[in-house]
């Protein structure tokens, strides 16, 4: 297959041809002498996105989301690979549950899938053993998201430090200090700032969903990595219904400051945390977001709030490098042909009824966004004009050493 058009290549927009064989980019050049060229004259071809922080629920919380519905939602938003989080019911804290989850994903995911391994006080002493048993079959991208405050999965600084010293793997941390959270619903900025400060004193980490400019600056000056989310960049406290999320939305000033410093973050991820409206009414924290992350951020590129290069680095290149996803780091010879094709002039208002998560609502109702027209995953056209062209189970378990089934 040969695709021609304008695409993002080596930090610039390049007009030419991408030659794909067996799902992999084998050549990139100005022109090709062939009649079999697929032409995208109007749009911009970007690498499909990676969302390294999603909660696809399933298991006992199928009513909120499943791997199938979450991955379908991701595909509609131009995402080709996700990292699922282990705070499921039951949680993924042992090899048996991990493998069970991977097998389920292999049968049901629309896009490529990978899964973190959870850390708790209960499994910390055996974490190396559990990891090596899983890694006989599948590669674990990271330990995490590790909670420093959580009803059932809370880990102390001491345990986190011991695990940091013991293993070499990436550890992703939800940094909010439990002692500074007086009650579940009150989570001051200090809780994040103090937790980040304490962690970087004893190790290098990947910090999830950083919400304060102060913590972002600290991480930027360290060897650790910072993830930011669209909700902390676009929404502020006291403005929307069902605003509860961990860490919370901050003041408008903090939001603006965080957005100004977008280039200091290493990764943007959605923290897709789907809850039904009924659960939100009862106070469940979290927002759906895997389908809207790329479309919302691309609209910020259109409005020249952020640069295309800063976005592609944080939604494709850096996640691939930091998590070790070989072949996923963008449009380059040797990488998978994972493309999301956008028409930048087709700006649409986000409407919950158009989205595909089981959550059934969005905090971005009415926001401008640019959704992909076409998505290719490993050289296969998976979505075009809203129509899904692949079946459940099309996605691969990323970096799987052996097929599961
Ligand atoms: C997360 C969820 O619902 O899984 N919610 C959220 O607000 N980010 C869990 C969490 O990080 O507390």
């Amino acid at each position: 297959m040969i695709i021609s058009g304008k695409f993002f290549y080596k930090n610039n927009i390049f007009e030419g041809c991408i030659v794909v064989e067996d799902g992999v980019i084998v050549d990139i050049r100005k022109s090709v002498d062939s009649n079999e060229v697929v032409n995208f004259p109007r749009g911009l071809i970007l690498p499909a996105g990676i969302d390294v922080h999603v909660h696809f629920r399933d298991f006992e919380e199928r009513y909120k989301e499943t791997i199938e519905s979450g991955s379908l939602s991701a595909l509609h938003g131009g995402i080709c690979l996700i990292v699922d989080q282990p705070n499921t019911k039951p949680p993924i804290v042992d090899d048996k549950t991990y493998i069970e989850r991977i097998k389920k994903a292999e049968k049901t995911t629309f896009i490529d899938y990978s899964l973190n391994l959870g850390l708790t006080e209960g499994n910390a002493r055996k974490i190396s053993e559990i990891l090596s048993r899983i890694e006989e079959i599948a590669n674990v991208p990271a330990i995490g998201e590790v909670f420093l405050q959580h009803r059932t999965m809370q880990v102390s600084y001491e345990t986190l430090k011991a695990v940091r010293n013991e293993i070499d793997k990436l550890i992703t941390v939800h940094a909010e200090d439990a002692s500074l959270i007086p009650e579940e619903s009150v989570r001051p900025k200090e809780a994040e700032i103090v937790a980040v400060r304490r962690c970087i004193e004893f190790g290098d980490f990947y910090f999830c969903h950083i919400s304060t400019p102060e913590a972002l600056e600290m991480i930027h000056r360290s060897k650790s990595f910072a993830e930011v989310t669209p909700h902390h960049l676009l929404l502020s406290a006291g403005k929307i219904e069902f605003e509860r999320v961990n860490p919370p939305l901050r003041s408008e000033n903090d939001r603006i400051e965080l957005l100004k410093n977008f280039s200091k973050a290493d990764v943007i991820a959605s923290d897709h945390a789907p809850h039904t409206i009924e659960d939100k009414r009862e106070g469940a924290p979290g927002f759906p977001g895997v389908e809207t992350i790329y479309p919302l951020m691309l609209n910020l590129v259109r409005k020249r709030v952020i640069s295309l290069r800063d976005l592609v680095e944080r939604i494709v290149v850096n996640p691939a490098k930091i998590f070790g996803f070989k072949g996923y780091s963008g449009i380059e010879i040797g990488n998978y042909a994972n493309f999301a094709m956008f028409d930048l002039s087709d700006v649409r208002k986000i409407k919950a009824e158009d989205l595909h998560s089981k959550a059934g609502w969005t905090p971005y109702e009415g926001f401008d966004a640019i959704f992909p027209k076409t998505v290719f995953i490993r050289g296969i056209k998976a979505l075009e004009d809203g129509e899904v062209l692949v079946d459940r189970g099309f996605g691969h378990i990323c970096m799987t050493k052996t097929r599961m089934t």
Side-chain angles (χ1 to χ4, degrees):
M1 178 180 66
I2 301 164
I3 293 176
S4 94
K6 290 196 191 87
F7 52 92
F8 191 79
Y9 176 54
K10 296 205 186 293
N11 292 324
N12 273 309
I13 294 174
F14 183 86
E15 196 162 354
C17 298
I18 308 172
V19 185
V20 176
E21 270 172 36
D22 297 330
V24 173
I25 300 169
V26 293
D27 200 3
I28 290 176
R29 44 183 136 126
K30 258 321 253 165
S31 62
V32 173
D33 191 14
S34 163
N35 319 331
E36 287 167 38
V37 178
V38 188
N39 209 349
F40 285 88
R42 268 162 50 82
L44 178 61
I45 304 170
L46 296 181
I50 304 175
D51 189 344
V52 295
H53 191 149
V54 305
H55 300 266
F56 278 174
R57 313 290 188 211
D58 220 311
F59 288 170
E60 289 168 29
E61 292 185 317
R62 294 178 57 81
Y63 74 98
K64 288 183 196 267
E65 194 77 288
T66 57
I67 296 172
E68 181 173 338
S69 60
S71 62
L72 184 67
S73 185
L75 174 60
H76 281 275
I79 301 294
C80 66
L81 165 66
I82 55 86
V83 181
D84 203 2
Q85 302 301 313
N87 65 329
T88 44
K89 265 194 191 157
I92 297 150
V93 289
D94 58 71
D95 43 304
K96 189 168 159 284
T97 322
Y98 190 100
I99 305 289
E100 185 190 335
R101 179 84 176 177
I102 290 281
K103 282 188 176 167
K104 186 180 250 280
E106 194 171 46
K107 293 200 185 85
T108 58
T109 186
F110 279 92
I111 63 162
D112 291 356
Y113 179 96
S114 71
L115 175 64
N116 278 353
L117 173 65
L119 180 73
T120 60
E121 290 297 332
N123 74 355
R125 279 158 187 260
K126 292 177 286 180
I127 201 77
S128 298
E129 218 178 293
I130 299 170
L131 259 179
S132 58
R133 277 204 295 268
I134 297 171
E135 292 203 324
E136 281 171 21
I137 306 169
N139 278 336
V140 176
I143 301 285
E145 127 186 51
V146 176
F147 292 96
L148 295 168
Q149 194 284 342
H150 195 268
R151 263 177 309 116
T152 54
M153 292 181 78
Q154 183 164 318
V155 166
S156 68
Y157 289 107
E158 291 68 33
T159 299
L160 180 59
K161 184 176 176 184
V163 172
R164 179 65 300 167
N165 289 338
E166 186 187 332
I167 59 170
D168 219 8
K169 190 162 280 291
L170 187 69
I171 302 181
T172 74
V173 181
H174 179 139
E176 287 189 282
D177 185 300
S179 72
L180 295 172
I181 299 177
E183 53 184 282
E184 212 8 69
S185 58
V186 183
R187 293 170 171 254
K189 280 178 70 175
E190 277 309 302
E192 177 174 284
I193 296 167
V194 168
V196 166
R197 185 178 299 129
R198 285 199 62 178
C199 290
I200 55 182
E201 271 167 20
F202 58 77
D204 300 336
F205 296 97
Y206 173 101
F207 291 102
C208 304
H209 44 48
I210 287 303
S211 63
T212 63
E214 293 88 342
L216 181 62
E217 184 62 34
M218 259 192 289
I219 301 165
H220 180 61
R221 288 164 189 264
S222 76
K223 285 201 218 133
S224 288
F225 300 111
E227 170 193 287
V228 290
T229 66
H231 49 273
H232 293 119
L233 297 174
L234 293 169
L235 305 170
S236 53
K239 302 235 172 94
I240 57 160
E241 212 185 352
F242 307 125
E243 74 166 72
R244 190 146 172 230
V245 63
N246 298 331
L249 300 180
R250 305 297 182 188
S251 69
E252 182 64 1
N253 279 349
D254 279 338
R255 177 192 79 78
I256 292 169
E257 201 53 31
L258 200 68
L259 184 55
K260 261 196 218 153
N261 287 289
F262 178 62
S263 61
K264 290 187 178 170
D266 300 283
V267 170
I268 183 154
S270 69
D271 186 16
H272 177 80
H275 298 283
T276 60
I277 282 289
E278 293 70 40
D279 289 350
K280 288 302 285 177
R281 283 202 185 99
E282 313 253 293
F287 302 146
V290 71
E291 190 165 344
T292 46
I293 179 172
Y294 216 161
L296 282 166
M297 297 309 291
L298 206 52
N299 188 53
L300 292 189
V301 172
R302 179 187 67 89
K303 286 167 56 185
R304 299 184 192 278
V305 176
I306 59 171
S307 71
L308 183 60
R309 177 181 175 170
D310 276 356
L311 174 58
V312 172
E313 274 175 0
R314 280 151 195 80
I315 203 164
V316 178
V317 182
N318 294 348
K321 286 189 181 151
I322 293 169
F323 286 77
F325 297 130
K326 226 169 148 257
Y328 289 83
S329 64
I331 300 176
E332 184 55 83
I333 294 170
N335 277 351
Y336 292 119
N338 293 332
F339 310 127
M341 295 157 169
F342 298 89
D343 176 351
L344 295 191
S345 66
D346 187 10
V347 183
R348 270 191 282 154
K349 299 266 181 234
I350 293 178
K351 283 197 227 138
E353 67 198 48
D354 295 339
L355 302 176
H356 300 81
S357 163
K358 277 194 175 184
W361 70 283
T362 168
Y364 306 108
E365 189 74 37
F367 277 53
D368 284 343
I370 304 168
F371 286 87
K373 295 263 167 236
T374 307
V375 177
F376 278 86
I377 299 183
R378 286 174 278 100
I380 307 282
K381 197 186 279 179
L383 179 102
E384 189 156 60
D385 295 327
E387 195 188 338
V388 176
L389 305 171
V390 293
D391 288 327
R392 68 206 279 271
F394 165 76
H396 280 187
I397 305 302
C398 190
M399 314 237 338
T400 301
K401 289 181 179 165
T402 335
R403 292 293 283 180
M404 297 286 142
T405 45

